[in-house]
Amino acid sequence: MSYSKCSIRKMLPKNYLRKHVAHDINVATANFKTLVPRMDQFVYNDGTSKDLMSLSGTLPVKFNDMTYNIPMCLWLEDSYPQTPPLCYVRPTQEMMIIRGNYTSSNGEVELPYLEEWKSGECNLVSLLQVMQVVFGECPPVCMQPHSEPEHASCK
C-alpha cells in the first residue's frame, strides 16, 4: 500500500522536516510496498526511549535465485535527513539473526552507506536498494534449526 505525502505528514511531529520526510517515506513505500510508516517508541541502548517515525515490514531479497522477505525496521530520528536512519533486522520467532559484516548480534544494520550518509545525496530508497544487494550476498537471518522429535524405541 502506498501512503500519501499528506497522510504521512499528519503522522509526523512538528520537530521533523515534515515535507522532506513525508516525501522520502512516500517514495519508499511506493517502491517497497510491504513497508508501513508509523510513529512508534524506540528504545536506545542506554534505556531511554523516544517516539520516532518508523518504516517496518519486509524487504524482498534475492538469494540463490530465490526471493526471501527479510523483516526490517528503519527508524527516522527527528534529525533525519541530516542523520541516517537506525536500521534493524527484526527476525520472526522462526528466524535467527546471522551476525556478519553488515548485521550485529542485536540485528542492527551496519553498512558503509549508513556510516557515510550525506544529506541530499542519500535517501531511503537507495538505502533499501543497497540492503537488497548486500543481504542478497550475505543474508542477515536464517531459519531456526528444528530439533528432531525423539522417537519411541520399538524394543
Side-chain angles (χ1 to χ4, degrees), residues 8 11-12 16 21 25 29 35-42 51-57 72-77 86 124:
I8 296 165
M11 283 189 244
L12 292 165
Y16 279 83
V21 175
I25 291 172
T29 58
L35 295 177
V36 177
R38 74 178 68 133
M39 289 300 294
D40 208 351
Q41 192 169 71
F42 180 81
D51 283 338
L52 298 179
M53 175 55 78
S54 69
L55 269 178
S56 59
M72 302 285 308
C73 188
L74 284 67
W75 297 91
L76 307 179
E77 295 182 284
L86 305 169
L124 295 175

Side-chain angles (χ1 to χ4, degrees), residues 8 23 27 41 49 51 66 106 125 132 140 147 149 152 155:
I8 296 165
H23 172 76
V27 173
Q41 192 169 71
S49 63
D51 283 338
M66 300 266 308
N106 72 347
V125 170
Q132 283 182 309
S147 57
K155 291 184 186 178

Side-chain angles (χ1 to χ4, degrees), residues 6-100:
C6 185
S7 66
I8 296 165
R9 194 176 308 159
K10 286 179 183 176
M11 283 189 244
L12 292 165
K14 297 204 184 310
N15 55 333
Y16 279 83
L17 294 174
R18 293 166 77 187
K19 186 175 179 180
H20 185 89
V21 175
H23 172 76
D24 277 10
I25 291 172
N26 178 258
V27 173
T29 58
N31 283 278
F32 296 91
K33 306 224 184 286
T34 59
L35 295 177
V36 177
R38 74 178 68 133
M39 289 300 294
D40 208 351
Q41 192 169 71
F42 180 81
V43 180
Y44 291 90
N45 290 336
D46 66 2
T48 60
S49 63
K50 187 174 184 180
D51 283 338
L52 298 179
M53 175 55 78
S54 69
L55 269 178
S56 59
T58 59
L59 180 67
V61 171
K62 273 205 182 270
F63 178 70
N64 289 341
D65 295 323
M66 300 266 308
T67 300
Y68 296 91
N69 292 309
I70 309 297
M72 302 285 308
C73 188
L74 284 67
W75 297 91
L76 307 179
E77 295 182 284
D78 53 13
S79 55
Y80 177 88
Q82 283 73 34
T83 58
L86 305 169
C87 305
Y88 288 86
V89 174
R90 293 291 165 111
T92 63
Q93 286 186 325
E94 299 83 30
M95 298 176 176
M96 59 188 250
I97 294 171
I98 301 172
R99 187 170 176 261

Side-chain angles (χ1 to χ4, degrees), residues 84-145:
L86 305 169
C87 305
Y88 288 86
V89 174
R90 293 291 165 111
T92 63
Q93 286 186 325
E94 299 83 30
M95 298 176 176
M96 59 188 250
I97 294 171
I98 301 172
R99 187 170 176 261
N101 293 338
Y102 305 111
T103 311
S104 71
S105 58
N106 72 347
E108 185 173 3
V109 177
E110 301 165 339
L111 293 170
Y113 189 89
L114 291 167
E115 293 167 14
E116 299 162 9
W117 184 270
K118 290 185 178 91
S119 179
E121 292 178 29
C122 299
N123 60 58
L124 295 175
V125 170
S126 296
L127 170 61
L128 291 161
Q129 290 169 338
V130 168
M131 285 184 193
Q132 283 182 309
V133 171
V134 169
F135 293 159
E137 295 168 1
C138 185
V141 292
C142 67
M143 297 306 286
Q144 291 271 11

